[in-house]
Amino acid sequence: MKWTVVGYWGAYPEKGEATSAYLLEQDGFRCLIDCGSGVLSRLQTFIDVTELDAVVLSHYHQDHIADIGVLQYSWLVQNSLHNRNRKLPVYGHVEDKTGFLALTHQFTEGIAYHPDEALQVGPFQFTFIQTNHPVPCYAMRITNGDQVIVYTADTSFKQDLIPFSREADLLVSECSFYHGQEAAKAGHLTSSQCGELAAKAGVKQLLLTHLPHFGNRAVLQEEAGRKFSGIIQLAHEGWTWQG
Ligand SMILES: [Zn+2]
């Protein structure tokens, strides 16, 4: 399976870029994980928007869902132009009723995932764990039966994330703050906590994402590296992992 970073900023996108969104692909099946601001524009660097087969959302903060509305418009326009009736499934949790209901539109269908149950989306099986965040948010462990990718979504440090991330081939961890900053109050992780999580879970590789708009971001990598001796990289648009 292949993981491509479409957007990696926390909060808002910097010029010409996007907030949280990742393209997960295997055997021609294309699943978008989160759909933040700027994503519709940036996604077209990689695929046509109508080539998506599914969307899975971690939570309903704007930097993870802001472009759902324009994704719906793009499917409306393209279906109308091509006289098609294709519907795009958009998976979300139902703990925010308003957020969940907004996933359904003429050519998109909001589908509830139940965090205690595994979810099969094309070739991918998702399992979930609730994170520590100001609104209900779910981390995802994704497997194709062979490789494992864990995406923390947004969270402060939580012990349960260690067994959840155990021996993942790739850990995609939010990294909103630098070492020593008060990340937990905002429901986020520091760089060193990302490194600690990666080390304790014994993952193969760590990708730092959901990056802050301040400081020298190369330092995030160094700080995580004091805790984790495996491969650590900083997300950028177009970064890919293939297992
Ligand atoms: Zn959030």
Side-chain angles (χ1 to χ4, degrees):
M1 55 183 170
K2 184 178 177 191
W3 180 274
T4 302
V5 175
V6 179
Y8 64 97
W9 289 106
Y12 69 93
E14 295 215 351
K15 189 167 63 180
E17 299 199 311
T19 62
S20 300
Y22 309 93
L23 185 61
L24 178 62
E25 297 172 89
Q26 179 164 317
D27 302 328
F29 189 94
R30 298 180 167 108
C31 180
L32 187 68
I33 313 282
D34 285 341
C35 185
S37 174
V39 169
L40 251 286
S41 173
R42 302 319 305 164
L43 180 63
Q44 292 171 81
T45 307
F46 307 101
I47 61 166
D48 186 294
V49 292
T50 57
E51 289 178 321
L52 279 178
D53 294 291
V55 179
V56 182
L57 302 172
S58 61
H59 68 305
Y60 298 101
H61 272 158
Q62 291 298 335
D63 52 342
H64 294 253
I65 54 126
D67 270 14
I68 286 291
V70 290
L71 172 63
Q72 291 167 334
Y73 290 168
S74 72
W75 273 60
L76 175 59
V77 169
Q78 291 301 321
N79 266 330
S80 306
L81 287 175
H82 295 98
N83 230 350
R84 284 191 306 230
N85 213 10
R86 275 188 70 210
K87 271 209 172 185
L88 176 66
V90 183
Y91 296 86
H93 70 68
V94 289
E95 284 163 73
D96 174 341
K97 293 273 181 288
T98 310
F100 176 72
L101 289 173
L103 305 182
T104 296
H105 193 254
Q106 196 167 343
F107 294 109
T108 64
E109 183 183 7
I111 300 175
Y113 64 70
H114 301 286
D116 295 337
E117 296 168 13
L119 171 72
Q120 192 73 34
V121 178
F124 309 114
Q125 188 193 66
F126 289 72
T127 47
F128 301 93
I129 187 176
Q130 185 158 15
T131 70
N132 289 337
H133 202 53
V135 298
C137 175
Y138 290 90
M140 306 169 191
R141 185 179 176 97
I142 308 159
T143 184
N144 60 352
D146 193 9
Q147 289 100 20
V148 172
I149 298 173
V150 171
Y151 169 47
T152 65
D154 285 7
T155 189
S156 62
F157 194 82
K158 180 172 183 167
Q159 287 295 333
D160 292 350
L161 283 168
I162 298 168
F164 187 75
S165 307
R166 186 77 66 207
E167 292 177 359
D169 294 285
L170 175 67
L171 172 63
V172 179
S173 181
E174 76 118 287
C175 183
S176 301
F177 289 95
Y178 293 81
H179 173 71
Q181 291 189 308
E182 283 205 61
K185 266 202 322 208
H188 289 296
L189 290 170
T190 67
S191 51
S192 35
Q193 289 172 326
C194 297
E196 188 183 339
L197 172 58
K200 288 186 170 166
V203 306
K204 291 207 181 105
Q205 187 171 344
L206 172 63
L207 177 70
L208 303 176
T209 192
H210 200 280
L211 300 179
H213 297 272
F214 50 86
N216 173 4
R217 284 175 291 277
V219 171
L220 297 168
Q221 208 170 344
E222 290 168 27
E223 290 171 342
R226 285 182 212 135
K227 302 277 184 182
F228 177 60
S229 56
I231 302 164
I232 306 174
Q233 289 178 295
L234 277 182
H236 59 80
E237 184 183 301
W239 184 92
T240 59
W241 176 90
Q242 189 145 19

